[in-house]
Amino acid sequence: MTPQTFPFSHSIELVRPTPRGNDYLYWRAEACKDALRICTWCADASGMPVEGRVIQTIACDQCRSEDPVLEMWFRASHKIDHMAFHITQGC
């Protein structure tokens, strides 16, 4: 399957409290035409990162059906269903 060609990206951002209770774990995925980029970081209540960010890039051919948008929603739904994440923004 050929990657979709769309001139924009899709993204979603999720958050959940950390076990410590003072900080939050953020997860942001952005699906572009050639890859899915996932960024995770820990932030305080104001959203300011308190630790470094981890960025993972998943090539299009490693995504389900070679579709980064489908892969993004699959991973986000897993985090919501099984890891107590909540949507903070998405498009």
Side-chain angles (χ1 to χ4, degrees), residues 37-86:
R37 290 175 185 82
I38 298 173
C39 182
T40 55
W41 69 95
C42 191
D44 61 19
S46 70
M48 291 295 297
V50 294
E51 296 176 13
R53 295 176 185 241
V54 175
I55 299 173
Q56 176 187 13
T57 301
I58 301 166
C60 188
D61 62 351
Q62 296 173 331
C63 295
R64 283 168 182 70
S65 300
E66 296 183 2
D67 185 341
V69 176
L70 180 66
E71 184 72 21
M72 177 187 74
W73 284 109
F74 175 81
R75 290 176 182 243
S77 65
H78 177 78
K79 294 216 173 270
I80 292 167
D81 290 344
H82 302 289
M83 302 175 75
F85 274 83
H86 303 279

